[in-house]
Amino acid sequence: MHHPPQEAPPRPGRLLADPPSGARQEPRAGRRRPTRRTLITGALFTTLALLAYPVLKYGDVGSGIGEPMSFNQPARDGGAGRHTAHTALSADPSVRMPTGPRADFRTADTLGDGTKIGVTTLKGTKSGFTGKVWVWAPEEYYEERYRNSAFPVLIALPGGHGHPVNYWTRPDLKLQRTLADLTALGRSKPFLLVMPVLNPDKAHYYDGSDIPGQPKMGTWLSDDVPDLVKANFRTYTSRDGWAFMGSSSGGFAGLKQVLQHPDRFKAVIASGPDTRPDSPLWRGHEKEMRANDPERLAARLAARPGAPDVHLQFQIGTKEGGRANLERFIRTYARGPVKAELHVIQDGGHNAKGYVRGMRDASLEAISKVLRGPTPS
């Protein structure tokens, strides 16, 4: 059923425009199966967003956009990237120093605190898919006291098409600022924020999975993107420093990754997600679809003796649908190693702004309690 643009239906899959006063359009996700009208609207939205992106942000407008950057070398302006590159090994066996090869990062944005968002094109060696990945490192990452310390990784997935950009890169959504603020207050770990594309195109939604005959987007998220981070950043060798967050369709994909790979990822913030796969590309591949069903994965994990614990932090707004489904999921599957909570966002809708507010109020602090953070070396 097609919903008119002014509505906020409960299922993920498309971007709707609802511009706040004095700001750019805010991402809002609708159904996963886009109609032709939706695709045209989404293409226009993406085009306008790309045109506006370099100038509509807070902080150092237009500074160094497209210029080469490194997260391990001094920046000419004294901002992010200001500590000297080194090859020292950490004495802590839980710390993985960058393994290389070094990626070609370019400046995508400079924020008000001087930190930068870098972007690179990743050729996935395991998935075979090539796409863009954006990364933001907090101020703490560059401090001398942490020069041999690992940092936790938060892989942030967008709703809607999730291609060709990841809307969590947009500073006006204040995800990076929220992380920095909560870290300063001691309520969040200082996460490395990794923001890959979610889908290979805007024609379909791929359920963040390896659908037979399609680009392997599940392997892209579970292997290629983490491998890029390990090659370029100081990370933890264990799952205790790895988590996902996502909104709408991105929430579904992050939820599935944690349940599918509990040995690699420990927690997820899933905002307004579905809990069952529904891409039309699964047609004729029911067995594979069941293997990528979060409900089946949760049931299997909960029944598995000695299984590693996972922490599922759900979010839902009071102005969107889907709350009953998430409450049912928690009642049914949250047992044993499967830990799950639901944070209800008062007056929140199916949009990024509400979900960031929920993360600021409760959810980032909740997952930070079960993940490791850097210790001075």
Side-chain angles (χ1 to χ4, degrees), residues 347-367:
D347 298 320
H350 196 67
N351 56 66
K353 180 180 179 181
Y355 296 146
V356 171
R357 179 159 56 87
M359 285 187 273
R360 177 181 285 273
D361 291 344
S363 294
L364 278 168
E365 185 171 10
I367 67 164

Side-chain angles (χ1 to χ4, degrees), residues 59-369:
D60 190 4
V61 177
S63 175
I65 299 298
E67 292 185 359
M69 66 164 290
S70 171
F71 290 95
N72 297 302
Q73 293 179 346
R76 288 177 295 176
D77 61 359
R82 54 185 171 270
H83 82 286
T84 305
H86 60 89
T87 57
L89 298 176
S90 173
D92 185 346
S94 69
V95 176
R96 180 191 293 107
M97 301 303 283
T99 61
R102 180 177 294 178
D104 178 23
F105 279 101
R106 303 280 170 151
T107 301
D109 219 325
T110 301
L111 309 188
D113 60 0
T115 57
K116 295 179 183 292
I117 297 173
V119 61
T120 190
T121 298
L122 172 62
K123 295 181 179 179
T125 58
K126 296 178 181 177
S127 68
F129 172 71
T130 297
K132 291 188 179 298
V133 181
W134 292 260
V135 179
W136 173 80
E139 285 189 306
E140 290 80 4
Y141 189 79
Y142 308 102
E143 294 180 4
E144 180 64 22
R145 59 179 174 152
Y146 293 127
R147 72 191 317 263
N148 293 319
S149 303
F151 277 69
V153 177
L154 187 61
I155 302 174
L157 305 178
H161 297 297
H163 180 92
V165 296
N166 181 322
Y167 59 60
W168 291 119
T169 63
R170 287 174 35 184
D172 62 292
L173 295 179
K174 300 182 180 180
L175 176 57
Q176 294 82 7
R177 179 181 287 180
T178 296
L179 285 167
D181 289 348
L182 293 185
T183 297
L185 294 171
R187 294 180 50 216
S188 174
K189 296 293 193 295
F191 289 102
L192 289 166
L193 188 64
V194 181
M195 300 161 280
V197 294
L198 178 61
N199 292 306
D201 54 52
K202 295 189 292 183
H204 299 286
Y205 177 67
Y206 292 74
D207 275 338
S209 303
D210 291 356
I211 301 176
Q214 304 297 332
K216 295 182 177 180
M217 303 314 294
T219 300
W220 163 258
L221 295 176
S222 65
D223 290 76
D224 289 331
V225 172
D227 285 349
L228 170 73
V229 181
K230 295 171 187 176
N232 289 274
F233 298 89
R234 305 186 303 275
T235 58
Y236 282 101
T237 56
S238 76
R239 70 193 193 100
D240 293 331
W242 293 84
F244 276 89
M245 57 93 28
S247 56
S248 192
S249 50
F252 169 90
L255 172 67
K256 184 182 75 76
Q257 285 292 333
V258 171
L259 291 169
Q260 203 165 38
H261 304 288
D263 56 326
R264 306 184 199 179
F265 310 107
K266 191 172 186 179
V268 61
I269 299 174
S271 303
D274 274 344
T275 57
R276 294 190 180 103
D278 68 353
S279 172
L281 298 173
W282 287 116
R283 191 170 296 114
H285 305 290
E286 285 74 17
K287 179 181 178 181
E288 292 84 355
M289 182 177 72
R290 289 193 296 272
N292 286 273
D293 184 336
E295 301 203 6
R296 291 174 177 269
L297 292 168
R300 189 177 306 133
L301 184 62
R304 184 173 129 198
D309 60 305
V310 294
H311 297 261
L312 316 178
Q313 181 71 22
F314 291 106
Q315 296 195 135
I316 199 76
T318 57
K319 292 185 176 180
E320 64 174 316
R323 178 174 176 176
N325 180 56
L326 295 181
E327 291 174 337
R328 177 195 60 82
F329 183 99
I330 292 172
R331 286 195 308 270
T332 305
Y333 304 112
R335 60 182 185 273
V338 180
K339 319 293 184 183
E341 294 182 357
L342 175 62
H343 175 61
V344 178
I345 306 165
Q346 294 301 317
D347 298 320
H350 196 67
N351 56 66
K353 180 180 179 181
Y355 296 146
V356 171
R357 179 159 56 87
M359 285 187 273
R360 177 181 285 273
D361 291 344
S363 294
L364 278 168
E365 185 171 10
I367 67 164
S368 291
K369 290 178 178 178

